[in-house]
Amino acid sequence: MNLKQQLDQRISAALAALTGQPDALAMVAYSKSPQFGDYQANGVMALAKKLGKNPRELGQLLAQQLQLDDIVSKVEVAGPGFINLFIKPAFLSERLNQLDHARLVAAAAQPQTVVIDYSSPNLAKEMHVGHLRGTIIGDAIARTLEFLGHKLIRQNHFGDWGTQFGMLITHMQELPFYTEGKIKAELSDLEGFYRAAKERFDTDADFARLARENVVHLQAGHPGYMALWKKFIDVSIEHCQQLYQRLGITLTEQDIRPESFYNSRLPQVLELLDQQKLLTVSDGAKCVFLDEFKTKEGEPLPVIIEKTGGGFLYATTDLAAIRYRCQELHAERVLYVVDARQSLHFQQVFTVAHLAGFASASCKLEHLSYGTMMGKDGKPFKTRSGGTVKLVDLCSEGVERALALVRGKNPETNLDDADLQHIAEVVGIAAIKYADLSKNRNSDYIFDWDTMLSFEGNTAPYLLYAYARIRSIFRRAQLDASAPYIINVEAAEEQALALKLLQFTEAVETLASECLPNQLCLYLYELAGLFMKFYECCPVLKAEGLVQQSRLGLCQLTALTLQQGLGLLGITTLEQM
RNA sequence: GCCCCGGUAGCUCAGUGGAUAGAGCGGCCCCCUCCUAAGGGGCAGGUCGCAAGUUCGAUUCUUGCCCGGGGCACCA
């Protein structure tokens, strides 16, 4: 149990005993200012009101009865009835000395089976900036839940099936150089290939007709078309996996469960809905109508399961996926990291899934939506010529800019070119990822190279630098960074840092429940800031004996926490930069 | 028209029903006798979109309105 929960539980119990209200809540929160202590309990005011008592008197009574001497050095009643709690330095030291350095965070008390659907690009096109947020944010959430001990199942719901593939295989088939090697070479520029096919589809009526016919052949399982399709998909998957590797994304080929995986399960979705009398035929399409959704004309809005003339849509696939995830993978929680524009779709699909029993009432289906990536002009992020920015190019540009920066900061360095290149790769990728993770995912976010590569403020370079600096302390002094050091905090700066270190667990747990990685980013930034202040005020290498040991211990734990925290976000640290 | 998300300092963003709403950038000023100044400290900067309501207490919850973005029947 983390410190906040521990305080909350004990104060709630004391409050219940004092007032005879079994459901009394202490409402423990962080204090905003040091003068109000480290934590504060705010529950007294509400309870006093409810009981018609004077809140300050109730607060005084509670403060007298609280038995928190093992944790707290001072309890004071302040303002209208706040209970301010000052954590004992000895308690901080003791807790820090007990930490398991390999984890720093306890495993979840109740592990769940969690399915997370993220990244899920459309294989028809090359990955572009539109796929970045979901991939990065999803990966951070996945890593964190997994680390906490949940049974985490990643699902990369690739778009590998649908009308565009008719167009693509028709274009492939008609290429004069349809041979193994040449096809593969041609597909090395997936984006160009898609554009060429689209161009023909839009301008050549015969081609378009043929493409539509070929979709039907493909979906009927025609071997020749299937082979072409498979070839295309394989190249496309390889392209995605390369990007994942460069970006440090944990998705592997084993996590791929594309749309086509559900093909054989679609008819069953239709049958089950029909059996439950949920289907209505409207304009020839088989639909589920839900009272809570309306079209722009004010008519009931259907969820279309099968379109007029046959053929399934993405709602059908998503319903089949929910059945699979809940009933075969036994998920207790299913997370969808998908952009905000699809929120209506997910509301509908989740409602139908619960209604039809595809997901039990206890199975939580959550759409973790995120906003659009904007350019500095506040419009969706594009290249100078107005095209979509490829992820490959984005990574390269980030690394190039980082390299220039690292070179500039190290004019006379002992680092060779390979070292610099490595540092640039880590910093560049980290900057891109962290810029995205550190903002609340719900809002749109403005992509700006200068801000994300700055060493100031809440940025990846600042945190990586903080970590490298600490490592450098041990390296310079030739001290063992993994040796046991006994912490004994005294100075105010040490106390503030120690408390923050203890709160790492709370930050990680919050990320797991709220799925907002920016909260962990903020924690790490504040930790790094407190460390810098500590380091300014409290000499480490110049200190002696037990004081030095203790301060080294704080340095060590700060480094471990930064490394662990960045690791959960999918960012690797550097020993030197 | 309905639904979803947002509106907080000049800019980019935090903010769990609680005390005096916080960071960073940009502006002005100060600090290298432990690590890498890629750092630290200070000053200035706010009708938390507007108005009601609930509450002992609202930036936070409710409702209405204004502004911006997105979505709303066979694409995903």
Side-chain angles (χ1 to χ4, degrees):
Chain A
M1 196 185 320
N2 66 46
L3 179 53
K4 189 174 160 191
Q5 287 167 335
Q6 200 176 350
L7 289 169
D8 199 274
Q9 209 171 70
R10 281 166 71 170
I11 300 171
S12 292
L15 201 53
L18 180 66
T19 59
Q21 300 283 316
D23 52 354
L25 289 175
M27 312 251 292
V28 170
Y30 297 129
S31 298
K32 279 189 178 169
S33 154
Q35 59 172 309
F36 302 137
D38 300 312
Y39 288 87
Q40 58 182 47
N42 298 328
V44 167
M45 291 171 281
L47 194 59
K49 176 67 184 175
K50 186 178 162 195
L51 299 174
K53 292 190 173 167
N54 179 315
R56 282 200 64 109
E57 282 171 18
L58 185 63
Q60 289 295 351
L61 275 173
L62 178 69
Q64 282 161 23
Q65 296 206 0
L66 275 178
Q67 295 187 347
L68 293 172
D69 292 349
D70 52 329
I71 302 180
V72 158
S73 59
K74 185 168 69 164
V75 176
E76 67 181 20
V77 182
F82 299 103
I83 310 290
N84 293 337
L85 305 163
F86 296 78
I87 306 298
K88 251 189 355 197
F91 173 82
L92 295 173
S93 306
E94 187 193 338
R95 273 288 177 96
L96 291 180
N97 287 326
Q98 286 167 355
L99 278 181
D100 171 4
H101 285 198
R103 282 192 62 87
L104 303 176
V105 173
Q110 291 166 327
Q112 285 186 308
T113 300
V114 182
V115 167
I116 181 164
D117 175 331
Y118 69 104
S119 194
S120 306
N122 190 325
L123 292 184
K125 291 191 221 174
E126 194 158 333
M127 284 186 87
H128 56 84
V129 290
H131 301 114
L132 190 64
R133 294 200 84 183
T135 303
I136 292 174
I137 292 170
D139 204 55
I141 294 169
R143 283 171 186 264
T144 304
L145 288 167
E146 193 162 54
F147 180 72
L148 285 173
H150 296 289
K151 183 180 174 194
L152 191 97
I153 306 171
R154 292 171 178 78
Q155 296 277 281
N156 198 348
H157 193 83
F158 275 138
D160 68 340
W161 201 246
T163 40
Q164 327 85 313
F165 289 93
M167 176 180 95
L168 293 168
I169 59 172
T170 305
H171 185 53
M172 264 173 97
Q173 184 191 27
E174 294 192 352
L175 286 174
F177 38 79
Y178 174 36
T179 65
E180 280 293 324
K182 290 213 172 154
I183 281 288
K184 193 146 189 181
E186 184 74 5
L187 290 179
S188 66
D189 176 15
L190 277 175
E191 195 64 23
F193 188 86
Y194 181 88
R195 267 201 308 274
K198 182 82 165 72
E199 166 82 24
R200 292 190 67 196
F201 187 84
D202 291 341
T203 56
D204 182 343
D206 288 338
F207 179 86
R209 185 179 43 75
L210 203 57
R212 286 198 194 90
E213 284 170 16
N214 287 343
V215 176
V216 179
H217 292 312
L218 177 67
Q219 297 197 335
H222 181 289
Y225 293 109
M226 287 294 281
L228 283 173
W229 169 77
K230 185 77 171 58
K231 208 161 287 175
F232 185 90
I233 295 301
D234 286 347
V235 174
S236 201
I237 287 176
E238 202 181 312
H239 156 79
C240 289
Q241 288 300 143
Q242 275 170 11
L243 266 169
Y244 291 151
Q245 196 173 6
R246 184 164 196 195
L247 279 167
I249 300 300
T250 53
L251 287 165
T252 67
E253 298 208 17
Q254 280 74 54
D255 303 317
I256 298 173
R257 205 74 15 130
E259 287 178 339
S260 60
F261 172 82
Y262 298 100
N263 284 346
S264 62
R265 296 161 196 259
L266 299 178
Q268 205 181 0
V269 168
L270 191 77
E271 270 171 43
L272 287 165
L273 291 172
D274 196 30
Q275 276 168 25
Q276 298 183 69
K277 308 273 181 260
L278 290 168
L279 287 181
T280 308
V281 178
S282 170
D283 294 340
K286 291 179 184 161
C287 312
V288 178
F289 283 93
L290 299 163
D291 292 340
E292 49 268 63
F293 303 103
K294 301 267 190 287
T295 67
K296 51 189 154 187
E297 286 80 28
E299 304 294 318
L301 179 67
V303 179
I304 299 176
I305 306 299
E306 188 186 78
K307 55 185 176 181
T308 307
F312 300 115
L313 291 147
Y314 75 137
T316 327
T317 311
D318 278 333
L319 286 169
I322 292 176
R323 278 197 78 215
Y324 172 72
R325 291 165 184 184
C326 293
Q327 297 183 7
E328 294 181 55
L329 300 179
H330 307 291
E332 294 160 86
R333 189 180 183 197
V334 187
L335 305 173
Y336 289 81
V337 187
V338 180
D339 84 282
R341 286 173 300 192
Q342 297 203 33
S343 78
L344 177 63
H345 166 71
F346 281 115
Q347 278 180 50
Q348 292 181 301
V349 167
F350 291 170
T351 307
V352 173
H354 277 125
L355 200 62
F358 296 170
S360 69
S362 63
C363 179
K364 297 273 174 290
L365 305 173
E366 300 175 40
H367 175 207
L368 306 178
S369 79
Y370 57 86
T372 311
M373 190 194 250
M374 302 294 197
K376 261 181 136 169
D377 55 2
K379 293 179 189 152
F381 190 63
K382 301 276 184 192
T383 58
R384 262 173 241 106
S385 54
T388 47
V389 179
K390 292 182 186 183
L391 230 37
V392 192
D393 298 338
L394 189 87
C395 291
S396 300
E397 184 166 357
V399 172
E400 266 170 46
R401 285 172 181 260
L403 184 61
L405 202 69
V406 169
R407 282 230 162 87
K409 299 283 187 189
N410 291 294
E412 293 170 33
T413 179
N414 57 340
L415 298 164
D416 62 26
D417 266 9
D419 290 336
L420 289 173
Q421 193 64 51
H422 173 66
I423 292 170
E425 182 73 27
V426 173
V427 172
I429 299 294
I432 292 170
K433 294 178 82 172
Y434 192 85
D436 211 327
L437 290 166
S438 60
K439 270 135 202 147
N440 188 315
R441 61 175 162 76
N442 288 307
S443 38
D444 291 344
Y445 120 84
I446 296 189
F447 188 91
D448 179 7
W449 287 117
D450 297 331
T451 312
M452 72 175 73
L453 282 165
S454 162
F455 283 76
E456 287 155 359
N458 191 3
T459 61
Y462 176 81
L463 293 180
L464 291 174
Y465 173 63
Y467 176 81
R469 259 184 111 168
I470 299 173
R471 299 294 292 175
S472 156
I473 295 167
F474 287 92
R475 198 166 48 239
R476 279 302 193 85
Q478 298 190 311
L479 289 163
D480 182 357
S482 54
Y485 296 103
I486 306 298
I487 293 170
N488 181 28
V489 299
E490 289 169 356
E493 292 81 8
E494 294 177 311
Q495 286 184 43
L497 178 60
L499 179 66
K500 198 72 184 178
L501 286 166
L502 264 190
Q503 290 169 338
F504 181 51
T505 290
E506 295 167 23
V508 173
E509 286 165 6
T510 305
L511 168 49
S513 60
E514 315 281 318
C515 295
L516 292 170
N518 66 303
Q519 292 175 344
L520 182 57
C521 293
L522 184 67
Y523 167 85
L524 293 173
Y525 175 57
E526 287 173 352
L527 174 67
L530 287 174
F531 177 80
M532 295 295 188
K533 289 188 182 88
F534 153 78
Y535 200 80
E536 292 285 320
C537 303
C538 304
V540 175
L541 296 178
K542 284 186 171 176
E544 291 176 352
L546 294 176
V547 173
Q548 185 186 53
Q549 293 294 303
S550 171
R551 290 180 179 169
L552 284 170
L554 289 168
C555 292
Q556 175 189 46
L557 267 182
T558 304
L560 284 171
T561 305
L562 285 172
Q563 187 173 41
Q564 184 73 272
L566 287 168
L568 293 177
L569 296 171
I571 292 171
T572 37
T573 48
L574 289 162
E575 294 304 306
Q576 234 182 317
M577 59 188 288

